[in-house]
Amino acid sequence: MKWIKNIFREIFGLFVDDGAFALAILIWLSFVRWATSHLALSSAIIGIILFAGLALILIESTTRYARHKR
Amino acid sequence: MDISWAHTGTSVIASFLASLVECVEALTVVLAVGSVRGWRSALIGCATAIAVLLVIIAALGTVLTHIPLRIIQLVVGTLLLLFGLRWLRKAILRSAGLIPLHDEQAAFAKNTELMRYFGTGHTTWDKIAFAATFHITMLEGTEVVFIVIAIGAGRTGALLPASLGAVAALLVVIALGFILHRPLARVPENTFKFIVGVLLSAFGTFWVGEGMHLAWPAADWSILALIASYLAIALLMVPLCRSRSQAVTSNT
């Protein structure tokens, strides 16, 4: 049954290798979902907010890694 | 529901490239096992894993048809974002020289050495060869199954193009395996991962938006704008990360 355990570990590893990065994405998606139902914003604006937040998370995570790497 | 070229074309390309990377990784191990311990058991292990994966795909496909599309888009979009942005992050860091490139030649040598350690398979039925190729095909194949479902489940009719992309990748890798009989070290894996990371992140963003009932401007064509935006950011991040790490090095 070790191979089943390996497959589950591999599947988890598909989505998460930096916990803070994955958590930030999930928090941002939750916030945008809340915003779509509570704020009177147009779809286009929410789409831009959704993308911009994800892009910022990517930028922050890669630059943080670069700063701490060497 | 009607699907446009923007959706079909990008689905096939994303699925093909992502599956190609996983198939090459599996092929490297299968070649290492087959060349050391013999091909019969190695190929049977590989074929058995593919059969198990086909059963899983059939079962998941049936389950997916019973779940409301918005929920699938939200869940699969979220998983796709976690998956795609993780690949893109790693590809940026690899391109910036901050983490080492994946080396198929080294993986081949390591697996060959490991198979020799267990001795050569002289019997007609080699359990080690079977187990090794079954495991690697299941591991990499599970990733391919997820990729196909993630790319194809977000829109009715998109599962077929995503499946075709994965099957095309499998056929290309099998053909190259027969021709080359050695690890596909020349396949620019990080370039594929860079492109696939961009494509999957764009798809994930689009489907999460659809799952949240957003009406994207220009409908499916927004995917192309998202692809261009993620690509621009990723390309800008490579020299930025390189310079950041150099600045830190020079200050210390």
Side-chain angles (χ1 to χ4, degrees):
Chain A
M1 293 316 240
K2 194 183 169 192
W3 66 273
I4 295 179
K5 201 175 158 187
N6 284 343
I7 286 174
F8 277 108
R9 196 188 303 139
E10 192 82 3
I11 291 171
F12 181 77
L14 279 176
F15 309 109
V16 181
D17 61 2
D18 180 324
F21 181 62
L23 191 64
I25 293 168
L26 292 176
I27 290 171
W28 182 248
L29 294 182
S30 305
F31 169 76
V32 177
R33 193 164 188 216
W34 173 85
T36 51
S37 51
H38 289 84
L39 303 177
L41 297 170
S42 72
S43 276
I45 298 291
I46 290 179
I48 291 168
I49 290 171
L50 173 65
F51 167 75
L54 293 168
L56 278 175
I57 290 167
L58 179 67
I59 292 167
E60 190 281 331
S61 178
T62 47
T63 48
R64 179 164 45 89
Y65 188 93
R67 274 200 309 271
H68 289 93
K69 180 64 182 170
R70 292 181 186 173
Chain B
M1 195 184 292
D2 183 39
I3 57 169
S4 68
W5 179 89
H7 218 110
T8 313
T10 46
S11 292
V12 173
I13 293 167
S15 175
F16 175 77
L17 292 177
S19 303
L20 196 64
V21 171
E22 305 302 342
C23 289
V24 166
E25 287 179 13
L27 179 70
T28 301
V29 177
V30 173
L31 289 177
V33 175
S35 60
V36 173
R37 304 192 66 89
W39 292 101
R40 191 169 170 270
S41 298
L43 291 177
I44 290 173
C46 191
T48 308
I50 290 173
V52 172
L53 288 167
L54 288 174
V55 172
I56 293 171
I57 292 167
L60 283 176
T62 312
V63 171
L64 283 175
T65 56
H66 293 93
I67 302 172
L69 188 61
R70 292 281 183 200
I71 294 173
I72 293 178
Q73 285 173 329
L74 201 56
V75 173
V76 169
T78 302
L79 292 176
L80 205 51
L81 269 175
L82 289 171
F83 183 66
L85 285 171
R86 178 184 154 270
W87 266 33
L88 190 54
R89 176 180 176 274
K90 265 193 160 176
I92 291 168
L93 295 172
R94 279 201 181 106
S95 299
L98 294 168
I99 53 175
L101 293 169
H102 189 83
D103 187 349
E104 290 301 334
Q105 199 79 47
F108 180 80
K110 186 184 158 193
N111 281 287
T112 306
E113 192 58 38
L114 190 66
M115 288 298 115
R116 286 206 178 102
Y117 173 78
F118 289 114
T120 50
H122 293 298
T123 56
T124 50
W125 178 244
D126 186 344
K127 282 183 188 171
I128 291 172
F130 177 88
T133 56
F134 179 83
H135 286 183
I136 192 65
T137 309
M138 277 301 291
L139 286 176
E140 303 301 339
T142 306
E143 294 189 35
V144 172
V145 170
F146 168 75
I147 289 163
V148 170
I149 288 172
I151 292 172
R155 184 63 63 90
T156 307
L159 206 53
L160 184 64
S163 304
L164 288 176
V167 170
L170 180 66
L171 293 177
V172 166
V173 169
I174 288 172
L176 286 175
F178 274 115
I179 295 164
L180 300 174
H181 268 249
R182 63 179 179 80
L184 306 176
R186 287 183 186 173
V187 173
E189 186 180 327
N190 199 49
T191 307
F192 283 147
K193 283 195 167 175
F194 203 102
I195 298 166
V196 170
V198 166
L199 293 173
L200 297 188
S201 301
F203 269 104
T205 308
F206 183 82
W207 283 332
V208 162
E210 292 232 308
M212 291 177 185
H213 298 270
L214 295 189
W216 288 99
D220 284 359
W221 294 99
S222 294
I223 296 172
L224 296 184
L226 286 167
I227 289 171
S229 306
Y230 275 116
L231 183 63
I233 288 168
L235 290 174
L236 283 171
M237 288 312 295
V238 174
L240 187 69
C241 284
R242 205 177 286 138
S243 65
R244 278 289 168 95
S245 71
Q246 282 166 356
V248 171
T249 310
S250 61
N251 287 339
T252 52

